[in-house]
Amino acid sequence: MTKKQKRMLMRIGGAAALFISGMVLEDITVGVVLLLAAYALISWDILWRAAANIRQRRVFDENFLIAVATLGAIALGDYSEGVAVMLLYQIGEGFQGYAVQRSRRSISSLMDIRPDTACVLRDGAEEEVFPDEVEVGETIIVRPGERVPLDGIITKGEGHLDTSALTGESMPRVVRANDEIISGCINQSGVLEVRVTTPYEESTVERILSLVEEATDKKATTEAFITRFARWYTPAVVIGAVLLALVPPLVTGDPFGMWIYRALTFLVISCPCALVISVPLSFFAGIGGASRVGILIKGGNYLEALAKADTVVFDKTGTLTKGSFHVASVIPAEGFAEEDVLFYAANAERYSTHPIGRSILRAFTGGGGTTEDTDVHAMEENAGRGISAHINGHFILFGTHDFLTAKKTINIPPVPHTGAVYLSIDGCFAGVVHVADEIKEDAAEAVRALKERGIRETVMLTGDSRPIGMSVGKSLGIDTIHAELLPQDKVAQVETRIAAQQNGKTLAYVGDGINDAPVLARADVGIAMGALGSDAAIEAADVVLMTDEPRKIATAIDIARKTMRIAWQNIIFAIGIKGIVLVLGALGYAGLWAAIFADVGVTVLAILNAMRALHVKEY
């Protein structure tokens, strides 16, 4: 509890004690004095804010409405009701402050990821400095229990990193020399020496904090509507209250006091607190709940757009697949052994920097093979097609089907595998190495979860060959697959689909945030997948998933839809109750106590409902 909240609690307690004493005392004069003292103690800040707003020409707000209603009640001699209205209103305000603080705490807890100092090695000595004083290229030391202050590459040591504050993942990540390391994580074991690769102001922790701080400034359409509604609604009800106080007694001859009391009741009932507080709080809580599970949403407008998504478009590499190749199978031709095919393929690729070549070499050396004693010479590489070389006295061709048939007249049967790399030895077809990009473990589950949530169409856009794209897409249950696309082709595909979207529906694009920035920016909702530390993702995406898990797309949609449901529940509930009690108050059937329920009671209930958005159930 903050000091401000403690002071408010003391004021409420003191005013309540004076109020009860004033009500039970038989001496009417002393009772009135105690009630007025209670009113002064509990209302001075409301009266001060109302007066200050009037001086600044911001008249029609909740402070003005409550001040007029309670002062009017006291002027009519209804001291107890005037004090009770202000007392209960302040209790509601206190409860609102607690609810907002709790919601804000969920988001501001991310601020704890900012380290205060960094231990940097300079001239062989350790020096404690502020993180923003460390230059790129310098070496910092991160001891067990410390937060990583800057992004970099580990040069010495190994340990376990707690990334839960950034990703929501509870399992620590093992890191060692040459691994990249990002700021904000906690080193759980081992002393790490890290070469800094990014200045502090561009580090992961600073970009994330900037993203979170900016998120609450971007209002959803629903939230903006409530702000505009309150701006017109409040003057309208004040004018209505004035007319209610003056017109009926002039027409009917009734005493003015009765109708003034009804007008004051009308003012209290009409206060739009429940709307202007609970609806923004719903979005704020939704963003906070999402951040707890490693989903950063840049604003309430993106929450609203995500809730309306009915088409999800995926990039392939790095999004649905891991982007790391592995040897799926080795298929020798008749007369050749599997070990021979992998031996010659690995030696042909021994100097390759291509991911496919490196995966073949890893498969060979990982199985106990070595290339150290192999005689390899006269090697020629045809980029994108294949390699020719003399290995241990044999002429080797290793590459695509077209490459081998063009180099030599060899009868090579096409192999029904995507990612097939063909091998010939001395002009004879020797076999095929099947290399595949690994599909993420939860990719198929993620696609299935989206369909369960009513997503009308899933689409995959990839620059890979059509056979590879079709193979991956069909295995995951993707509805529509487009392959062999350049970045501009992906943008064109997304634009075509956005133009064909049904009214009120949106399109979400999910990419790895590196080469998909144009499409992420063009989509109704851009979702960067596993893009922790990626500049392109932070800048271009509207939603950033801090982990490499496609299943969190369904979680993000669940959060967005739940938040929107809560916001509309609050709108309908608040307007409905206020409308009913307003009519009853105007007709004289509802007094100030009913007005309190319609204002403070409805506000408290709406806030309680809004707080449900903080609780996220992960898919």
Side-chain angles (χ1 to χ4, degrees), residues 375-424:
D375 175 27
V376 180
H377 63 275
M379 178 179 289
E380 292 183 12
E381 183 172 359
N382 189 317
R385 300 191 67 213
I387 293 171
S388 64
H390 287 83
I391 300 176
N392 286 350
H394 297 284
F395 180 63
I396 303 299
L397 293 175
F398 187 58
T400 65
H401 188 277
D402 291 342
F403 176 71
L404 266 67
T405 54
K407 283 279 186 179
K408 279 267 188 179
T409 306
I410 307 171
N411 183 21
I412 303 176
V415 177
H417 283 291
T418 57
V421 190
Y422 298 81
L423 174 73
S424 75

Side-chain angles (χ1 to χ4, degrees), residues 440-512:
K440 292 180 180 177
E441 290 82 0
D442 63 336
E445 178 188 0
V447 174
R448 184 171 61 254
L450 291 175
K451 292 182 178 180
E452 289 172 354
R453 281 155 179 76
I455 296 300
R456 179 175 54 85
E457 184 182 22
T458 54
V459 183
M460 189 179 78
L461 307 180
T462 178
D464 275 346
S465 66
R466 181 170 177 79
I468 292 177
M470 294 300 293
S471 174
V472 172
K474 287 182 177 178
S475 68
L476 295 177
I478 300 287
D479 298 320
T480 308
I481 302 156
H482 296 281
E484 300 176 357
L485 300 177
L486 297 174
Q488 58 267 33
D489 299 328
K490 291 183 178 182
V491 174
Q493 284 283 347
V494 166
E495 287 181 340
T496 299
R497 291 183 175 279
I498 289 175
Q501 283 290 107
Q502 299 175 6
N503 288 336
K505 297 299 183 180
T506 59
L507 178 146
Y509 180 84
V510 189
D512 61 9

Side-chain angles (χ1 to χ4, degrees), residues 214-420:
E214 292 168 4
T216 54
D217 295 331
K218 298 181 179 178
K219 290 188 176 182
T221 305
T222 306
E223 192 177 354
F225 162 75
I226 293 303
T227 304
R228 293 193 302 271
F229 173 81
R231 191 158 50 238
W232 291 99
Y233 168 82
T234 307
V237 297
V238 170
I239 294 170
V242 171
L243 294 175
L244 184 63
L246 298 177
V247 174
L250 291 175
V251 173
T252 64
D254 290 337
F256 276 92
M258 179 181 73
W259 287 100
I260 291 174
Y261 180 85
R262 291 183 184 182
L264 294 174
T265 303
F266 186 89
L267 278 180
V268 176
I269 298 168
S270 63
C271 186
C273 299
L275 290 175
V276 298
I277 292 169
S278 67
V279 174
L281 181 60
S282 300
F283 286 96
F284 197 80
I287 293 171
S291 70
R292 285 180 171 180
V293 292
I295 301 171
L296 295 186
I297 301 173
K298 287 189 176 180
N301 51 339
Y302 303 119
L303 261 178
E304 188 166 12
L306 188 59
K308 298 175 181 176
D310 78 332
T311 301
V312 177
V313 181
F314 294 93
D315 171 49
K316 182 183 76 69
T317 307
T319 302
L320 296 172
T321 65
K322 295 180 179 180
S324 59
F325 293 93
H326 72 290
V327 174
S329 62
V330 178
I331 307 171
E334 188 175 348
F336 292 90
E338 183 177 321
E339 295 78 9
D340 294 334
V341 173
L342 190 57
F343 169 81
Y344 285 108
N347 279 282
E349 297 282 4
R350 65 189 296 181
Y351 302 116
S352 174
T353 57
H354 192 280
I356 290 179
R358 303 308 297 173
S359 69
I360 293 171
L361 191 59
R362 278 197 309 272
F364 177 64
T365 56
T370 178
T371 60
E372 292 181 2
D373 300 325
T374 308
D375 175 27
V376 180
H377 63 275
M379 178 179 289
E380 292 183 12
E381 183 172 359
N382 189 317
R385 300 191 67 213
I387 293 171
S388 64
H390 287 83
I391 300 176
N392 286 350
H394 297 284
F395 180 63
I396 303 299
L397 293 175
F398 187 58
T400 65
H401 188 277
D402 291 342
F403 176 71
L404 266 67
T405 54
K407 283 279 186 179
K408 279 267 188 179
T409 306
I410 307 171
N411 183 21
I412 303 176
V415 177
H417 283 291
T418 57

Side-chain angles (χ1 to χ4, degrees), residues 28 45 59 67 150 162 178 188 227 246 309 312 378 463 479 484 523 540 550 570 574 579:
I28 296 176
D45 56 334
V59 178
L150 295 148
D162 176 3
N178 298 320
Q188 292 185 324
T227 304
L246 298 177
V312 177
D479 298 320
E484 300 176 357
N570 285 339

Side-chain angles (χ1 to χ4, degrees), residues 151 198 202-204 207-208 211 296 298 315 487 509-523 525-546:
D151 298 350
T198 307
E202 298 175 14
S203 65
T204 299
R207 291 203 309 275
I208 290 173
L211 171 62
L296 295 186
K298 287 189 176 180
D315 171 49
Y509 180 84
V510 189
D512 61 9
I514 298 171
N515 57 3
D516 290 313
V519 205
L520 286 167
R522 180 63 188 89
V525 185
I527 303 175
M529 168 65 63
L532 191 61
S534 166
D535 292 323
I538 295 293
E539 293 299 324
D542 308 314
V543 179
V544 180
L545 306 185
M546 308 289 279

